[in-house]
Amino acid sequence: MIEAPPLKLIAFEVTRRCTLACRHCRGDSRNEEYDNELTLDEIKRILDNVATFAKPIMIITGGEPLTRPDVFDITAHSTALGFRTVLATCGQRLNDETVPRLIETGVKRISVSLDGASIKTHDNFRGIEGAFESALKGLEFATKHGLDFQINSTLTTLNIGELDAIHKLAVDIGAVAFHPFLLVPMGRGSALSDFALEPQAYEDALVHIAELADKSPLEIKPTCSPHYMRVTLQRKKDIPESSAQAQHPHAKHGHGGGHPGHVMSKGCLGGQGFAFISHTGEVQMCGFLEKLAGDLKENGLDFRDVWENSKFFSEIRDLDSYNGKCGYCEYRKVCGGCRARAFYLDNDYLGPEPNCVYEPKHKR
């Protein structure tokens, strides 16, 4: 059993209900009640358990978390425990009432997705007419009340041509960060498999994002793109001196690696600093790989036990045991490949990252 690393982030899906019908939704979320969702008391007890051994950034997410009437009790409890609390929302329910309450309960930042720089592209992606305008209107309320926000974008062949325009829009409307996501074809997103970027296009996109970060005033961090770390290091002619290097030597939370636009951290943090808790209490390495690490409703809401003793997490943490080139690549300790993408495309969550074009210098 590999020793558990420090816990840095948790994405806590407090509900799966959502008012949108996004084409790429990992949870196939719908605007309806879901059975067996965690109660407020259960959520508080899970947060209390986490606080006994760690102080991670707590990402309150969904679904749309603002559809949950007690969401402000959740954010307040998270803040009271000393967690840096942030919240992911589609923006529809941000207004002069909800934004001040988020601030009052300690939420430090929200994220809102813009999957296009135009109404047509975004609304087509989000499945609801008016989604683009409601997101921008919600962000106006965030700006009005001084709540920091970041823009997330899921990139596919449907919108990759708008990458620069989305980034410019994020700058123009006052975002503090831009986090582009590379599609993982699962949930409702499996229907978008034909629109996923091919490996070389994926590589080109990461290089272009790195070039944007060189000059961007925003914090930029690609997500579900672990080999962005390799791309940024290669651009600096910086190769890890040994496979034992756990992360880039300049890595840190927040800005790092030189220009303010670059956010340097380990590639895939799933199970290695990050975990996902579902709306029913299931723990996963991330929201995109539905491989159970533990069920909190079955173990007395003991997240710590799952984090420290899950056999699946131990397996994920043993990067040297990965199959194919991800197991011997000289960048494996700073990248790790996307385990979810490997699973959904090749049915092997320990397999090589399907979208990586890099060939390691030395084989096993």
Side-chain angles (χ1 to χ4, degrees), residues 230 243 324-333 358 360 362:
R230 168 184 56 76
S243 62
K325 65 183 181 181
C326 279
Y328 58 81
C329 178
E330 60 269 26
Y331 290 99
R332 66 189 179 279
K333 301 296 183 180
Y358 180 73
H362 305 287

Side-chain angles (χ1 to χ4, degrees), residues 67-249:
T67 62
R68 185 165 176 144
D70 56 9
V71 66
F72 302 107
D73 296 311
I74 295 170
T75 55
H77 194 71
S78 174
T79 299
L81 290 171
F83 303 140
R84 176 178 170 82
T85 305
V86 298
L87 182 137
T89 173
C90 71
Q92 283 185 328
R93 297 185 175 222
L94 298 175
N95 53 45
D96 279 329
E97 178 184 355
T98 56
V99 173
R101 291 192 70 186
L102 288 173
I103 296 171
E104 179 184 348
T105 59
V107 172
K108 299 301 183 185
R109 182 189 293 187
I110 59 172
S111 66
V112 172
S113 292
L114 293 177
D115 294 307
S118 65
I119 292 174
K120 181 179 179 181
T121 305
H122 179 82
D123 286 5
N124 178 59
F125 218 80
R126 292 281 154 177
I128 297 290
E129 186 176 347
F132 186 75
E133 292 182 351
S134 66
L136 291 182
K137 183 64 178 177
L139 291 173
E140 289 180 7
F141 287 108
T143 299
K144 175 182 177 181
H145 294 283
L147 179 58
D148 283 352
F149 64 88
Q150 72 182 49
I151 298 301
N152 297 343
S153 298
T154 298
L155 301 178
T156 68
T157 59
L158 298 171
N159 63 357
I160 188 64
E162 296 185 27
L163 174 59
D164 287 348
I166 298 170
H167 171 261
K168 182 180 184 302
L169 177 59
V171 174
D172 290 346
I173 62 178
V176 298
F178 176 50
H179 289 201
F181 286 60
L182 276 295
L183 177 72
V184 177
M186 58 87 65
R188 203 149 59 226
S190 60
L192 286 177
S193 295
D194 290 344
F195 300 100
L197 298 180
E198 294 295 326
Q200 188 56 55
Y202 188 107
E203 184 85 356
D204 294 343
L206 294 182
V207 171
H208 188 63
I209 291 168
E211 292 170 347
L212 274 178
D214 284 340
K215 56 190 177 183
S216 178
L218 305 182
E219 166 197 305
I220 292 184
K221 185 182 183 300
T223 302
C224 298
S225 315
H227 44 294
Y228 180 71
M229 282 297 297
R230 168 184 56 76
V231 168
T232 56
L233 295 178
Q234 283 182 299
R235 295 176 76 239
K236 295 181 174 188
K237 305 292 192 286
D238 189 353
I239 299 175
E241 294 179 1
S242 74
S243 62
Q245 186 175 351
Q247 62 178 17
H248 186 267

Side-chain angles (χ1 to χ4, degrees), residues 319-328 332 362-364:
L319 276 71
D320 292 344
S321 71
Y322 284 7
N323 300 320
K325 65 183 181 181
C326 279
Y328 58 81
R332 66 189 179 279
H362 305 287
K363 294 188 177 182
R364 279 192 176 126

